Amino acid sequence: MVSRSKFPEGVDEFTELFDLPYDKLKSAQRLTQLKIQPKLTNDEQNELATLSAELEEYMITPEVWNKFADSLVAVEQFFYDNVQGFIEDKQKIWDSYIKQFLFVGVWTTGKSYKFQNMVIGDNGDLFLCSKDHVSNDSNKPTKSDMWVRISSKGDTGAIGLNAFYKGDWNEATTYKIGDAVSHERENWLKPLVYISKKDNNVGVNPQTNGESWMLYSETYVGDSRPKGAGAGLHFIKEL
């Protein structure tokens, strides 16, 4: 069967339809009467043609509906023959990108990197590869357009208590960065907790040295702010 649609070589056109107005009601009724008659005279056939033209904007004829159906089928066939394959090909490319979107460690020279690979640059920042290549000193992430910086290395955070609690401070013990100790201070009801700010920290009294120890998150009441007080200290001066 020959299609009534011009797609995809052309664009199909359809008459815009409207609701039947009241003044066309008698014409529509007469058209219906003529269509259901088994036979028409020449005059009736001419009248039918005239009424059909008059009511064209108010009814869907079999010819119009069949043309619309052919247009719809033509679009579906075009999509199946052309667009579907195009989408599937693009999906395969996208899938390959997704599989390559992974962290592959610290950047090194002489290694083959793929588009979307992520590495840590020599400055500690996170970079995303923009094209396939083999690395060398001239295309380091920090100085090549083959890489895009997606995250910068943050500053070193403050030392916290998520390190190791070593109990009461001992003058003979060597402490490392992040080691936490308890130490008694005069006029305190309970020991204070201090955190070591450096490695090889030995023989340094926490309550007298702010360069080696940091007082951790306490409220202190006294006549002066204690040495080694960290950001978490709440100091209340005695009057």
PDB file of all heavy atoms in Angstrom, residues 14-26:
ATOM      1  N   PHE A  14      -1.917  19.207   7.577  1.00  0.00           N
ATOM      2  CA  PHE A  14      -3.289  18.833   7.915  1.00  0.00           C
ATOM      3  C   PHE A  14      -4.105  20.099   8.153  1.00  0.00           C
ATOM      4  O   PHE A  14      -3.587  21.107   8.639  1.00  0.00           O
ATOM      5  CB  PHE A  14      -3.325  17.961   9.178  1.00  0.00           C
ATOM      6  CG  PHE A  14      -2.677  16.622   9.009  1.00  0.00           C
ATOM      7  CD1 PHE A  14      -1.319  16.454   9.263  1.00  0.00           C
ATOM      8  CD2 PHE A  14      -3.417  15.530   8.582  1.00  0.00           C
ATOM      9  CE1 PHE A  14      -0.716  15.225   9.108  1.00  0.00           C
ATOM     10  CE2 PHE A  14      -2.820  14.290   8.420  1.00  0.00           C
ATOM     11  CZ  PHE A  14      -1.463  14.135   8.680  1.00  0.00           C
ATOM     12  N   THR A  15      -5.382  20.018   7.812  1.00  0.00           N
ATOM     13  CA  THR A  15      -6.285  21.145   8.036  1.00  0.00           C
ATOM     14  C   THR A  15      -6.602  21.264   9.519  1.00  0.00           C
ATOM     15  O   THR A  15      -6.899  20.263  10.185  1.00  0.00           O
ATOM     16  CB  THR A  15      -7.600  20.948   7.252  1.00  0.00           C
ATOM     17  OG1 THR A  15      -7.305  20.846   5.857  1.00  0.00           O
ATOM     18  CG2 THR A  15      -8.545  22.115   7.486  1.00  0.00           C
ATOM     19  N   GLU A  16      -6.524  22.464  10.036  1.00  0.00           N
ATOM     20  CA  GLU A  16      -6.857  22.680  11.437  1.00  0.00           C
ATOM     21  C   GLU A  16      -8.358  22.508  11.635  1.00  0.00           C
ATOM     22  O   GLU A  16      -9.168  23.038  10.871  1.00  0.00           O
ATOM     23  CB  GLU A  16      -6.431  24.080  11.872  1.00  0.00           C
ATOM     24  CG  GLU A  16      -6.620  24.337  13.355  1.00  0.00           C
ATOM     25  CD  GLU A  16      -6.099  25.701  13.777  1.00  0.00           C
ATOM     26  OE1 GLU A  16      -5.669  26.478  12.885  1.00  0.00           O
ATOM     27  OE2 GLU A  16      -6.129  26.000  14.989  1.00  0.00           O
ATOM     28  N   LEU A  17      -8.749  21.769  12.667  1.00  0.00           N
ATOM     29  CA  LEU A  17     -10.156  21.461  12.911  1.00  0.00           C
ATOM     30  C   LEU A  17     -10.717  22.305  14.052  1.00  0.00           C
ATOM     31  O   LEU A  17      -9.991  22.690  14.969  1.00  0.00           O
ATOM     32  CB  LEU A  17     -10.321  19.974  13.239  1.00  0.00           C
ATOM     33  CG  LEU A  17      -9.868  18.992  12.152  1.00  0.00           C
ATOM     34  CD1 LEU A  17     -10.082  17.560  12.620  1.00  0.00           C
ATOM     35  CD2 LEU A  17     -10.607  19.248  10.844  1.00  0.00           C
ATOM     36  N   PHE A  18     -12.042  22.545  13.963  1.00  0.00           N
ATOM     37  CA  PHE A  18     -12.732  23.352  14.970  1.00  0.00           C
ATOM     38  C   PHE A  18     -14.025  22.654  15.381  1.00  0.00           C
ATOM     39  O   PHE A  18     -14.517  21.753  14.695  1.00  0.00           O
ATOM     40  CB  PHE A  18     -13.062  24.747  14.412  1.00  0.00           C
ATOM     41  CG  PHE A  18     -11.860  25.504  13.927  1.00  0.00           C
ATOM     42  CD1 PHE A  18     -11.476  25.440  12.590  1.00  0.00           C
ATOM     43  CD2 PHE A  18     -11.110  26.270  14.803  1.00  0.00           C
ATOM     44  CE1 PHE A  18     -10.373  26.134  12.135  1.00  0.00           C
ATOM     45  CE2 PHE A  18     -10.005  26.974  14.352  1.00  0.00           C
ATOM     46  CZ  PHE A  18      -9.628  26.907  13.011  1.00  0.00           C
ATOM     47  N   ASP A  19     -14.581  23.081  16.516  1.00  0.00           N
ATOM     48  CA  ASP A  19     -15.891  22.573  16.925  1.00  0.00           C
ATOM     49  C   ASP A  19     -16.956  23.048  15.940  1.00  0.00           C
ATOM     50  O   ASP A  19     -16.873  24.153  15.389  1.00  0.00           O
ATOM     51  CB  ASP A  19     -16.241  23.072  18.328  1.00  0.00           C
ATOM     52  CG  ASP A  19     -15.384  22.416  19.398  1.00  0.00           C
ATOM     53  OD1 ASP A  19     -14.899  21.296  19.158  1.00  0.00           O
ATOM     54  OD2 ASP A  19     -15.197  23.037  20.471  1.00  0.00           O
ATOM     55  N   LEU A  20     -17.956  22.212  15.741  1.00  0.00           N
ATOM     56  CA  LEU A  20     -19.040  22.545  14.813  1.00  0.00           C
ATOM     57  C   LEU A  20     -19.881  23.688  15.379  1.00  0.00           C
ATOM     58  O   LEU A  20     -20.462  23.561  16.461  1.00  0.00           O
ATOM     59  CB  LEU A  20     -19.925  21.320  14.573  1.00  0.00           C
ATOM     60  CG  LEU A  20     -21.065  21.501  13.575  1.00  0.00           C
ATOM     61  CD1 LEU A  20     -20.500  21.621  12.157  1.00  0.00           C
ATOM     62  CD2 LEU A  20     -22.039  20.321  13.660  1.00  0.00           C
ATOM     63  N   PRO A  21     -19.978  24.814  14.662  1.00  0.00           N
ATOM     64  CA  PRO A  21     -20.805  25.928  15.157  1.00  0.00           C
ATOM     65  C   PRO A  21     -22.294  25.640  14.934  1.00  0.00           C
ATOM     66  O   PRO A  21     -22.670  24.804  14.109  1.00  0.00           O
ATOM     67  CB  PRO A  21     -20.328  27.113  14.313  1.00  0.00           C
ATOM     68  CG  PRO A  21     -19.836  26.505  13.049  1.00  0.00           C
ATOM     69  CD  PRO A  21     -19.269  25.170  13.415  1.00  0.00           C
ATOM     70  N   TYR A  22     -23.110  26.368  15.660  1.00  0.00           N
ATOM     71  CA  TYR A  22     -24.551  26.127  15.596  1.00  0.00           C
ATOM     72  C   TYR A  22     -25.116  26.360  14.194  1.00  0.00           C
ATOM     73  O   TYR A  22     -25.997  25.618  13.736  1.00  0.00           O
ATOM     74  CB  TYR A  22     -25.271  27.032  16.599  1.00  0.00           C
ATOM     75  CG  TYR A  22     -26.770  26.865  16.591  1.00  0.00           C
ATOM     76  CD1 TYR A  22     -27.366  25.762  17.211  1.00  0.00           C
ATOM     77  CD2 TYR A  22     -27.598  27.799  15.948  1.00  0.00           C
ATOM     78  CE1 TYR A  22     -28.743  25.596  17.193  1.00  0.00           C
ATOM     79  CE2 TYR A  22     -28.971  27.636  15.930  1.00  0.00           C
ATOM     80  CZ  TYR A  22     -29.541  26.535  16.556  1.00  0.00           C
ATOM     81  OH  TYR A  22     -30.905  26.369  16.533  1.00  0.00           O
ATOM     82  N   ASP A  23     -24.589  27.362  13.501  1.00  0.00           N
ATOM     83  CA  ASP A  23     -25.144  27.682  12.184  1.00  0.00           C
ATOM     84  C   ASP A  23     -24.774  26.650  11.120  1.00  0.00           C
ATOM     85  O   ASP A  23     -25.240  26.727   9.983  1.00  0.00           O
ATOM     86  CB  ASP A  23     -24.717  29.084  11.739  1.00  0.00           C
ATOM     87  CG  ASP A  23     -23.209  29.224  11.626  1.00  0.00           C
ATOM     88  OD1 ASP A  23     -22.478  28.278  12.007  1.00  0.00           O
ATOM     89  OD2 ASP A  23     -22.736  30.285  11.168  1.00  0.00           O
ATOM     90  N   LYS A  24     -23.910  25.669  11.481  1.00  0.00           N
ATOM     91  CA  LYS A  24     -23.556  24.611  10.535  1.00  0.00           C
ATOM     92  C   LYS A  24     -24.262  23.293  10.864  1.00  0.00           C
ATOM     93  O   LYS A  24     -24.036  22.280  10.203  1.00  0.00           O
ATOM     94  CB  LYS A  24     -22.041  24.374  10.558  1.00  0.00           C
ATOM     95  CG  LYS A  24     -21.205  25.584  10.155  1.00  0.00           C
ATOM     96  CD  LYS A  24     -21.378  25.915   8.682  1.00  0.00           C
ATOM     97  CE  LYS A  24     -20.471  27.076   8.269  1.00  0.00           C
ATOM     98  NZ  LYS A  24     -20.628  27.424   6.830  1.00  0.00           N
ATOM     99  N   LEU A  25     -25.123  23.318  11.881  1.00  0.00           N
ATOM    100  CA  LEU A  25     -25.758  22.085  12.333  1.00  0.00           C
ATOM    101  C   LEU A  25     -26.640  21.463  11.246  1.00  0.00           C
ATOM    102  O   LEU A  25     -26.576  20.255  10.990  1.00  0.00           O
ATOM    103  CB  LEU A  25     -26.591  22.365  13.588  1.00  0.00           C
ATOM    104  CG  LEU A  25     -27.331  21.161  14.180  1.00  0.00           C
ATOM    105  CD1 LEU A  25     -26.354  20.053  14.549  1.00  0.00           C
ATOM    106  CD2 LEU A  25     -28.151  21.591  15.398  1.00  0.00           C
ATOM    107  N   LYS A  26     -27.446  22.266  10.575  1.00  0.00           N
ATOM    108  CA  LYS A  26     -28.329  21.732   9.538  1.00  0.00           C
ATOM    109  C   LYS A  26     -27.527  21.163   8.379  1.00  0.00           C
ATOM    110  O   LYS A  26     -27.894  20.126   7.809  1.00  0.00           O
ATOM    111  CB  LYS A  26     -29.281  22.822   9.047  1.00  0.00           C
ATOM    112  CG  LYS A  26     -30.348  23.209  10.065  1.00  0.00           C
ATOM    113  CD  LYS A  26     -31.333  24.205   9.472  1.00  0.00           C
ATOM    114  CE  LYS A  26     -32.429  24.554  10.463  1.00  0.00           C
ATOM    115  NZ  LYS A  26     -33.407  25.521   9.900  1.00  0.00           N
TER     116      LYS A  26
END
